[in-house]
Amino acid sequence: MKYRASLRFPVFPHHTRFLNQTRSFTHFSKKFQTAHARASLNGSGGGGNSQGDSFLIPGATVATLLMLGVLHARRMYQDKKTEEMREKGIELEFQPDVKATFLRLLPLRSISRCWGYLTSMEIPVWLRPHVYRAWARAFHSNLEEAALPLEKYASLRDFFIRTLKEGSRPIDADPQCLVSPVDGTVLRFGELNGAGAMIEQVKGFSYSVFSLLGASPSLPTTADGNVPKENSESITTSEKSKKSWWRVSLASPKVWDPTLSRPQRGLFYCVVYLKPGDYHRVHSPADWNILVRRHFSGCLYPLNERATRTIRNLYIENERVVLEGLWQEGFMALAAVGATNTGSIELFIEPELQTNKPRKKLLHSEPPEEHIYECEGVGKMLKKGDELAAFNMGSTVVLVFQAPISKHLHEDDSSQEFKFCVKPGDRIHVGEALGKWRSS
């Protein structure tokens, strides 16, 4: 029995026919699937393959739209519950649930790679504005800031990591100011004190900054005094910065007598969460010299509100890229943490870096992959606001840095201390001040 394709149904229907379509979305997708099956059965040789491949892009588009709908419904539900809790003044506490256990059984890395494949599929030009506007409505993206017309973004991935119009993100030019590297929501911030240097994930659970960043010879184990003069010079001019990485990290012993005075520089942190609708590029928070990159190949759990209060060591378990170096006030590190459907972290200063690669081992106990930029100590010099990396969807950035604090315990004038300009839950954009201080 032979099947014959209908000659009245063209393989590439004109886009005006779709725009005038009044039938339901379900019937629309079934119509494509039926035509695809008939064309595959009737075709032979190169012509048959060509007809079958012609429907690959519409099929991927349908699957992508369905995924967007599921993500939007889940986001609305979670946002509503979180908002109700905040209105009642209830601070969410850490409480593991069944979902966290279930997530550990899912192949989230493979799922994220499939999602990356779908978002890389080219979308028909006529359909692109409709897909991107639907995404913007679902996740509250500002399309007016896009640098290019919507028709120019060939795939969802290109749309996710789009650049913005010039002037959309002005950078605070104050030299005594640390700016936000991303658009997002401020989750946590503070000063790292006491043994272990713990960062609070959520009320009731914390994780170690050493576990997040990895073994680092330059990470201050206690609060430091003044940054050595040679360190300051090494990040201001390229000629004076040609020193050994190990010499820089061991330039001065970390000795502190708390009975006499407080040190002049403390260790701070700030956690910023990027939602799927946020601008996805990461910028330099200050003028700094990046010396080391570490890539931790881990899990890809979601990083939303519920995940942070139900999954232990969330930021340590997940795949991440850590950049470490020096700025004018001492140590600085930036951890770009991947999430479900965000396994790919693109690093502009190292384009050859590949993340979320298939792993041969089921356990991720292998040490991080480390790369030292210029063994002579020159590193990668970046200016405040320079583009640094990009996420394919929402994710999280953890910033750890040294900054000035009060010199003496009894000192009344705290104007020289570093002070955060934000509060937990604030929305912040690239270039806006995270914190400021005033030099003496």
Side-chain angles (χ1 to χ4, degrees), residues 117-147:
Y117 174 77
L118 287 176
T119 57
S120 298
M121 296 294 297
E122 185 174 348
I123 300 175
V125 176
W126 65 268
L127 190 58
R128 293 172 188 174
H130 304 287
V131 173
Y132 302 149
R133 290 193 184 101
W135 174 272
R137 285 193 296 269
F139 297 100
H140 309 292
S141 299
N142 187 357
L143 296 182
E144 295 181 357
E145 297 177 337

Side-chain angles (χ1 to χ4, degrees), residues 159-200:
F159 176 72
F160 291 157
I161 61 173
R162 65 190 180 278
T163 57
L164 302 182
K165 293 179 181 177
E166 187 175 355
S168 299
R169 295 293 183 271
I171 308 299
D172 194 317
D174 187 350
Q176 274 80 44
C177 169
L178 190 70
V179 302
S180 174
V182 293
D183 284 13
T185 303
V186 178
L187 298 183
R188 301 276 171 177
F189 62 82
E191 185 177 356
L192 294 170
N193 294 316
M198 305 296 288
I199 298 178
E200 188 177 40

Side-chain angles (χ1 to χ4, degrees), residues 18 25 28-29 32-33 53-69 114-115 117-132 134-135 153-156:
F18 290 99
F25 179 78
F28 173 76
S29 60
F32 269 100
Q33 294 173 0
D53 293 341
S54 66
F55 291 95
L56 181 61
I57 292 175
T61 302
V62 170
T64 302
L65 292 175
L66 291 175
M67 176 69 78
L68 295 181
C114 290
W115 170 252
Y117 174 77
L118 287 176
T119 57
S120 298
M121 296 294 297
E122 185 174 348
I123 300 175
V125 176
W126 65 268
L127 190 58
R128 293 172 188 174
H130 304 287
V131 173
Y132 302 149
W135 174 272
Y153 300 107
S155 64
L156 274 171

